[in-house]
C-alpha cells in the first residue's frame, strides 16, 4: 500500500514516487535533491540565522537537512513530511531527530513560533501553493525567513506535460511565476541565486550511476517507451535550479 504521500498527489496506485525509490535514495545519500547539504549550508548563511534558531524543514524526507541543522549548525531543528516511509527512515537513522509525519497544508505549530522555514525541492510538489504559503506565513515569526530551493524553467516556459510519476519536475514553472506566487502570499524576496550548475552536476552523477538518463527513467517507470516520452517532454523546456530566500512581510 502506498503511504499518505500518494493520496496527497492523487495519483494511481502503481505510480512510482521518485524520492521513495531505494536506488535514488542511495545515489543521493538520502538528501533527495540537487545540491545536497552544501546548498543547505549556503542557504542558512544567506538567511543569517543565529545559532539556536528554531528552523522547520518542510518536506524533510529522510531528515538529512534536519540532522545537519541540529548537529552541524547548532539549530533547534524540526522536520515534517507527508511520507510515513521517509519519516520512519529518518527516525531509524537518528532517533533524536525531531521529525514527524504531517502536511504543509495543516502545520501542527503555533502562530509566530518558527524563525525559519526550509523547503528544499518541495515547493514544486505543492499543488495548493496559496494554502501552503499561508500556513508557512502563519507559523513564521515576524520577519522570519523562508528558504525555497527547487527546479524551475529557465527558458521556453510552456505548459509541461506531466510525467507518469511523482517528481518535482511536474510542478516546474518560471522564475516569474514563482516570484508572483510567493510575493503574492506576503513574502519579500531577499535573494535569488541561479544554482543550475548543481543541477547539471546532479544529472551527470545520475548518468554515471545508471548508465544514461533513459536508463534512469526506465528504472523508475519500467518501460522504454515511457522513458522516451519523458525524455522528449523534458527536452522542450530548459530546466534549472534556484535558491531563494524570502522574508515574511
Ligand atoms: C524531492 S523530496 C525532498 C526531500 C528533502 N527536502 C530533501 O532535500 O532530501 C520531496 C519531499 O516532499 C514531501 N512532500 C510532498 N508533499 C508534501 C506536503 N504536502 N507536505 C509535506 N511534505 C510533502 C515528500 O514526501 C518528499 O519527502
Amino acid at each position: 500500500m502506498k503511504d499518505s504521500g500518494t493520496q496527497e498527489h492523487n495519483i494511481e496506485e502503481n505510480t512510482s514516487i521518485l524520492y521513495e525509490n531505494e536506488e535514488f535514495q542511495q545515489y543521493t545519500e538520502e538528501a533527495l535533491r540537487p545540491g545536497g547539504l552544501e546548498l543547505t549550508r549556503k542557504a542558512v548563511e544567506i538567511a543569517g540565522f543565529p545559532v539556536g534558531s528554531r528552523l522547520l524543514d518542510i518536506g524533510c524526507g529522510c531528515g538529512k537537512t534536519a540532522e545537519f541543522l541540529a548537529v552541524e549548525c547548532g539549530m533547534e531543528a524540526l522536520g515534517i513530511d507527508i511520507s510515513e516511509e521517509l519519516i520512519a527512515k529518518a527516525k531509524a537513522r537518528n532517533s533524536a531527530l525531531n521529525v514527524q509525519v504531517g502536511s504543509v497544508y495543516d502545520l501542527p505549530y503555533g502562530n509566530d513560533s518558527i524563525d525559519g522555514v526550509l523547503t528544499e525541492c518541495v515547493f514544486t510538489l505543492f499543488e495548493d501553493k496559496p494554502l501552503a504559503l499561508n500556513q508557512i506565513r502563519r507559523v513564521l515569526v515576524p520577519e522570519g525567513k523562508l528558504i525555497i530551493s527547487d527546479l524551475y524553467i529557465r527558458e521556453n516556459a510552456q505548459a509541461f506535460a506531466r510525467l507518469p510519476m511523482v517528481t518535482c519536475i511536474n510542478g516546474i514553472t518560471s522564475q516569474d511565476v514563482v516570484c508572483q506566487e510567493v510575493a503574492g502570499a506576503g513574502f519579500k524576496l531577499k535573494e535569488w541565486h541561479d544554482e543550475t550548475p548543481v543541477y547539471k552536476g546532479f544529472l551527470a552523477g545520475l548518468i554515471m550511476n545508471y548508465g544514461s538518463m533513459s536508463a534512469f527513467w526506465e528504472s523508475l517507470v519500467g518501460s522504454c517507451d515511457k522513458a522516451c516520452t519523458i525524455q522528449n517532454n523534458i527536452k522542450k523546456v530548459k530546466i534549472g535550479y534556484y535558491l531563494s530566500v524570502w522574508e515574511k512581510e
Side-chain angles (χ1 to χ4, degrees):
M1 199 188 93
K2 298 278 183 187
D3 69 11
S4 50
T6 310
Q7 290 151 27
E8 184 81 12
H9 294 290
N10 197 22
I11 57 171
E12 290 169 24
E13 183 69 12
N14 291 324
T15 304
S16 63
I17 301 177
L18 174 57
Y19 41 84
E20 290 189 359
N21 178 276
E22 291 279 345
E23 194 177 351
F24 182 71
Q25 287 171 10
Q26 276 166 22
Y27 163 68
T28 59
E29 296 176 351
E30 295 188 343
L32 311 169
R33 62 193 157 85
L37 296 175
E38 275 316 301
L39 202 57
T40 307
R41 187 190 299 281
K42 181 171 177 180
V44 169
E45 281 169 12
I46 293 173
F49 297 120
V51 169
S53 297
R54 190 163 194 246
L55 304 184
L56 169 64
D57 184 21
I58 300 179
C60 66
C62 300
K64 289 294 263 198
T65 289
E67 190 169 40
F68 171 77
L69 293 172
V71 176
E72 304 278 330
C73 307
M75 305 292 176
E76 182 189 344
L78 310 172
I80 191 163
D81 198 288
I82 197 87
S83 167
E84 288 171 21
E85 183 180 323
L86 297 183
I87 290 294
K89 278 198 173 164
K91 287 191 167 154
R93 197 185 65 253
N94 183 342
S95 59
L97 290 181
N98 193 346
V99 295
Q100 63 178 302
V101 177
S103 172
V104 70
Y105 302 128
D106 186 19
L107 291 175
Y109 312 101
N111 296 353
D112 302 342
S113 65
I114 305 281
D115 299 312
V117 163
L118 294 92
T119 63
E120 299 177 304
C121 221
V122 178
F123 191 69
T124 40
L125 293 167
F126 296 155
E127 306 249 337
D128 187 343
K129 295 213 174 43
L131 178 56
L133 288 163
N134 192 276
Q135 280 287 297
I136 292 171
R137 198 171 179 284
R138 177 184 68 73
V139 301
L140 276 173
V141 298
E143 299 182 5
K145 303 284 191 306
L146 165 62
I147 290 165
I148 307 177
S149 55
D150 216 323
L151 298 166
Y152 74 121
I153 303 180
R154 285 191 304 136
E155 280 175 41
N156 304 338
Q158 57 179 273
F160 190 78
R162 289 172 79 93
L163 310 184
M165 61 188 310
V166 178
T167 159
C168 296
I169 292 177
N170 280 335
I172 52 173
T173 55
S174 65
Q175 178 177 355
D176 283 352
V177 171
V178 174
C179 287
Q180 275 166 24
E181 285 167 340
V182 186
F187 292 89
K188 185 165 64 184
L189 181 62
K190 303 296 284 180
E191 295 200 27
W192 179 287
H193 295 257
D194 177 74
E195 299 287 348
T196 301
V198 302
Y199 173 64
K200 288 188 174 162
F202 188 76
L203 293 185
L206 282 178
I207 290 168
M208 304 245 297
N209 197 59
Y210 288 82
S212 66
M213 283 310 291
S214 310
F216 166 65
W217 291 117
E218 201 178 325
S219 77
L220 292 159
V221 294
S223 110
C224 190
D225 284 354
K226 273 190 186 172
C228 279
T229 308
I230 289 175
Q231 295 262 75
N232 288 335
N233 281 352
I234 289 176
K235 270 190 210 141
K236 290 180 191 149
V237 293
K238 268 220 161 87
I239 299 178
Y241 204 76
Y242 68 92
L243 165 63
S244 62
V245 179
W246 302 79
E247 185 175 278
K248 174 176 166 176
E249 287 193 297

